[in-house]
Amino acid sequence: MPDPRHARRIQGLGTTVFSRMTALATEHDAVNLGQGFPDEDPHPALVEAVDRAMRDGHHQYAPGPGVPRLREAVAAHQQRHQGLVFDPDTDVTITFGATEAIAAAVLGLCDPGDEVLVVEPVYDAYSAVIALAGGVEVRVALDPPPHGAPDTGWRLDPGRLAAAVTPRTRLLILNSPHNPTGAVFDTDLLDAIAATCVEHDLVAITDEVYEHLVYDGRHVSLATRPGMEARTVTVSSAGKTFSCTGWKVGWACARGELSSAVRATKQYLSFSGGTPFQHAIADALRLPDAVVHEVADRNRGRRDLVVDALTGLGLPTVRSAGTYFVTADLAPVGFDDADAFCHWAPGAIGLAAVPVSAFVLDPAPVRSLVRLAFCKRDAVLAEGMERLAGALTGRSTSRP
Ligand code: PMP
Ligand code: GLN
């Protein structure tokens, strides 16, 4: 029953699947492969940088668009990694994580009734903020890998995206590397998406928070594709790149009226936040690339550990090209309903995961798929795999 005091725009938002699964993990002291956050500390240089920022007296409000030296560091980062040129004074806005950047962009660019394209499985924050803006979410489904053929990976048919455009379509939100599937969209696909945006005069908001966690292939920003530079709001954050998800330092890079829409909105969401963390990330972005590569290399090893273990247990598992996540099919080992499994497993076998059905409207095609986060220490992952093996070999008695 909706709460009669709740505004219509928040009815249906509920509690995020990540919070719900982490609550179950905590209640049962389970290995938490549900919510995507690392269980290791950031590089010591980052901790020292926050400490220094605090001792240097950076305790008060940052300027609304963010501390200038961080905006400069973000602009330099975008140029170095993607060849994109942004003016730190006008085009770069520091936000409270990527989440606030996406919220500011959607609220600033979407009128009630406008259609916003998203790729399904969809990260839940997009649907929520489109609802807050009064927009109409239009989902374009990725194809799951055919049963038993995980090597195919998840695929986006660009023709399906183009076919979803109507005269009301205003925005596209694109997430690559993609949560929850781990897909990394290649240049051909990005070019096809860019052509659709240009043909229909769409603005793209890209969520690139996993840009440095790519294990196969390479990350390419949509803004680099033909015609996209002036029609894209490029969003990312430091949380995944530097293993500091709780610091919530993010950014939006865009030109002209796209940037002014983000800034106009962001000033009334939080104004600014986390001044010492902004200074620390300014320092972090100037560290040698080896610091970032180390995080990615460790996560590549963890991905392989989990994929090999799951495959060995008989679960077809996609070897994700990027992100913190793999998707695995429980059907061949007798669990047809991943949602039931994810509610049962924390208490029964001490393991938390997230059902892929939480990211889609029609659960049927993904009913038996789970998302597992591998951004955890090897010993934790090994324990999680051991607990799952116990469930499959009947060492745990009950089943959902
Ligand atoms: N986008 C995606 C695809 C995510 O997985 C997450 C969560 N890690 C976020 C955005 C949130 O990023 P931030 O913590 O920087 O707000
Ligand atoms: N992005 C993280 C995930 O997908 C969760 C962040 C959150 O809890 N909002 O697990």
Side-chain angles (χ1 to χ4, degrees), residues 176 183-193 218 220 225:
S176 177
V184 176
F185 299 156
D186 66 20
T187 312
D188 287 347
L189 178 56
L190 294 173
D191 283 347
I193 295 169
R218 100 192 153 86
V220 177
R225 309 326 299 157

Side-chain angles (χ1 to χ4, degrees), residues 179-270:
N179 178 7
T181 66
V184 176
F185 299 156
D186 66 20
T187 312
D188 287 347
L189 178 56
L190 294 173
D191 283 347
I193 295 169
T196 297
C197 291
V198 171
E199 183 185 345
H200 299 283
D201 196 22
L202 308 183
V203 167
I205 300 168
T206 62
D207 178 348
E208 307 184 19
V209 298
Y210 299 102
E211 62 185 313
H212 292 294
L213 297 180
V214 174
Y215 316 118
D216 304 312
R218 100 192 153 86
H219 171 68
V220 177
S221 291
L222 183 64
T224 66
R225 309 326 299 157
M228 293 310 291
E229 212 164 307
R231 62 173 70 249
T232 305
V233 181
T234 300
V235 171
S236 193
S237 69
K240 316 298 188 300
T241 300
F242 296 108
S243 305
C244 57
T245 59
W247 292 16
K248 296 295 283 188
V249 176
W251 47 85
C253 300
R255 299 276 167 68
E257 73 272 30
L258 299 187
S259 183
S260 58
V262 170
R263 286 190 170 189
T265 311
K266 186 263 182 305
Q267 62 184 335
Y268 295 113
L269 294 178
S270 61

Side-chain angles (χ1 to χ4, degrees), residues 276-314:
F277 296 113
Q278 291 196 25
H279 280 279
I281 296 300
D283 292 341
L285 288 172
R286 292 178 171 95
L287 289 169
D289 284 345
V291 172
V292 173
H293 292 160
E294 265 171 41
V295 176
D297 288 345
R298 271 201 302 280
N299 277 300
R300 182 185 292 104
R302 293 164 175 159
R303 173 203 63 172
D304 290 339
L305 185 160
V306 168
V307 174
D308 292 345
L310 293 171
T311 308
L313 290 171

